Amino acid sequence: MPPPELSLAERETTSHNAAALEALKRGEPAVWLKPDSPAAPRLEASVTLADVADAVARLERFRPALQILFPRSGWDGRINSSLIDYPRAAGFPLLVKADHALPLTGSIKARGGVYELLCRIERMALSDGLLSDGDSYEALVTATAAEVFSRHKVVVASTGNLGFSIGLVARAFGLAADVHMSRDAKAWKKDRLVQLGATVVEHDCDYTLTVAGAREAAAASGSDFIDDETSRELLIGYATAADELIAQLAERGLVPSKAQPLVVYLPCGVGGAPGGVTFGLKARLGDAVTCVFVEPVASACVFAALAAGGGAPLSVYELGADNLTIADGLAVPLASALVLEVVGSSIDAVVALTDEQILTWVRRAWREAGLRLEPSAAAALAAVEPYRQAIAARPGLDSAIHIAWTTGGSLLPDAEFERLLA
Ligand SMILES: *Cc1c(COP(=O)(O)O)cnc(C)c1O
């Protein structure tokens, strides 16, 4: 089901939000701040912490299978990332949640996208008799299993990283994979998928239309469609990152509180990855965490929906934006309706950045910290100063723990990365 849309004229836009929208319409960087309202954030019952606990258990069951399929010395089969210090004399501590170096796929999609795929694989394995209660999931990497999986096909649509991640892991288990790529997708991801035996279907259009095309193709062929715009499981997979982060903070003696709040900067495309992380963090930490979404000015779809009000997605084209950005992972013109429903009222701020601001941070992160980030991930770092400036008048900022969530880039080929640095 495509998400319902509400045109700009059908909404009530407050004057505060109207100013933020005007900046976006001019193609300028902008910060949207959640208006002060007495209403507590509403965490929808359609996703619960029990779902997240279930996901953690499922990922644990898959650990031995993933270790066999993706051998890497010293890897324990867990899809997690480190929390590192950003080395810079900025006068405040800045940490980096290094999802750009996640195992398997080098992007945050290894959490949500791969988790949803594993849910599907588990269901196939149970219904096809590959698994019974208590079996080790090593049973999913036998020749018999691969033969069974080869009769199944998954279909996915992507601006690059989701398709790359789903295709890579699906092929490792032996599933057929049709990956529909929007015009944003980089050639190296498509080439790599073809080498792995996935079918890449190229669309000369944006992400939203590519999803619609892929959804139709999947329905026509009766295949499993992994739907980034509407999937609960994707969101739940991303939410598992919250407890991982909270434990890493605790190891450093950091326990977020109202006196020492956490501020996380989350790059946002359709909203699933930042939305899932926000769900998990808000459920655990409540007011002690501030969730800042980060988008390119040209593709600020969550910004647009929140600033326009009304709770429904709003296409960035209605604002005159063109959805053309160097941050291919974030090049989405319309936010997920599910994400807006589940965490829309929990999003504290959205920072919209120009490509130039983002590129500056691709270079700085490399020069200052040796981090190989794609533009979508560097956006998290680029958002820190604009957000701090936007809330400079508020108390409590000095003690906050700032975390930039670097969502992808470690697998960028040298030539791609050098082009960004040049
Ligand atoms: C997909 C992606 C995001 C955003 O995730 P959404 O679920 O689309 O909001 C951010 N950064 C990178 C590198 C990504 O690939």
Side-chain angles (χ1 to χ4, degrees):
M1 280 285 290
E5 259 181 79
L6 217 58
S7 80
L8 203 47
E10 290 171 282
R11 302 170 192 252
E12 274 181 45
T13 304
T14 64
S15 59
H16 163 82
N17 292 332
L21 269 183
E22 286 311 311
L24 257 202
K25 284 184 189 164
R26 292 192 299 269
E28 292 169 7
V31 179
W32 174 84
L33 297 173
K34 182 165 72 177
D36 288 329
S37 76
R42 183 176 45 108
L43 293 177
E44 279 291 320
S46 57
V47 177
T48 67
L49 279 178
D51 295 320
V52 183
D54 188 44
V56 170
R58 179 165 296 103
L59 289 167
E60 184 64 22
R61 292 197 291 278
F62 268 97
R63 218 148 64 76
L66 293 175
Q67 259 181 311
I68 298 168
L69 289 174
F70 297 91
R72 197 168 90 168
S73 83
W75 186 46
D76 62 4
R78 289 199 174 91
I79 304 170
N80 53 24
S81 70
S82 39
L83 180 66
I84 56 186
D85 291 284
Y86 190 86
R88 83 179 175 157
F92 64 94
L94 177 61
L95 300 172
V96 168
K97 184 64 176 141
D99 273 11
H100 64 282
L102 274 177
L104 309 182
T105 72
S107 84
I108 195 168
K109 302 297 188 298
R111 298 186 186 273
V114 170
Y115 173 68
E116 161 137 28
L117 177 66
L118 296 180
C119 291
R120 308 269 178 131
I121 287 176
E122 189 178 60
R123 287 197 284 271
M124 289 172 198
L126 288 167
S127 68
D128 290 350
L130 286 173
L131 277 179
S132 41
D133 274 356
D135 279 354
S136 162
Y137 280 31
E138 287 179 23
L140 302 183
V141 289
T142 58
T144 316
E147 203 280 315
V148 170
F149 288 138
S150 72
R151 288 182 242 136
H152 292 273
K153 176 154 70 180
V154 291
V155 178
V156 64
S158 176
T159 66
N161 282 339
L162 183 68
F164 180 71
S165 300
I166 301 273
L168 186 81
V169 179
R171 291 302 300 142
F173 279 93
L175 277 84
D178 284 1
V179 180
H180 292 250
M181 292 291 208
S182 71
R183 62 172 173 232
D184 315 283
K186 297 283 175 262
W188 70 269
K189 290 175 192 164
K190 297 187 255 191
D191 294 345
R192 178 95 189 272
L193 285 172
V194 171
Q195 279 164 25
L196 291 167
T199 302
V200 172
V201 185
E202 299 190 76
H203 293 254
D204 187 21
C205 58
D206 71 18
Y207 172 75
T208 305
L209 290 170
T210 302
V211 174
R215 195 185 278 127
E216 236 168 71
S221 68
S223 309
D224 266 41
F225 181 53
I226 296 191
D227 194 333
D228 198 19
E229 281 180 342
T230 61
S231 166
R232 278 178 74 248
E233 279 170 351
L234 235 111
L235 206 68
I236 292 164
Y238 291 122
T240 62
D243 280 358
E244 183 185 310
L245 173 63
I246 290 167
Q248 287 170 322
L249 288 168
E251 277 169 27
R252 292 168 170 256
L254 296 171
V255 179
S257 64
K258 267 189 161 166
Q260 191 183 28
L262 188 66
V263 183
V264 287
Y265 300 86
L266 300 161
C268 174
V270 74
V277 172
T278 294
F279 172 82
L281 287 175
K282 289 282 182 183
R284 290 286 190 225
L285 301 173
D287 282 353
V289 62
T290 294
C291 295
V292 181
F293 283 30
V294 186
E295 299 182 305
V297 169
S299 309
C301 58
V302 168
F303 190 127
L306 294 176
L314 171 70
S315 167
V316 301
Y317 301 131
E318 267 208 58
L319 303 179
D322 59 11
N323 190 39
L324 296 177
T325 170
I326 192 168
D328 44 301
L330 314 181
V332 174
L334 192 68
S336 153
L338 175 76
V339 167
L340 292 175
E341 177 206 312
V342 176
V343 295
S345 58
S346 301
I347 300 167
D348 296 288
V350 187
V351 178
L353 300 166
T354 62
D355 277 9
E356 201 184 321
Q357 289 174 297
I358 293 172
L359 253 186
T360 297
W361 275 93
V362 170
R363 294 168 186 155
R364 279 188 70 170
W366 176 245
R367 206 173 60 233
E368 298 174 348
L371 299 173
R372 182 183 284 240
L373 304 182
E374 60 185 274
S376 300
L381 287 162
V384 177
E385 265 321 310
Y387 177 72
R388 284 171 57 91
Q389 277 168 25
I391 59 153
R394 293 190 187 177
L397 184 63
D398 295 343
S399 57
I401 308 159
H402 296 266
I403 300 186
W405 209 292
T406 54
T407 45
S410 64
L411 295 190
L412 277 183
D414 288 343
E416 290 282 326
F417 191 56
E418 275 154 22
R419 213 171 303 144
L420 291 169
L421 296 179

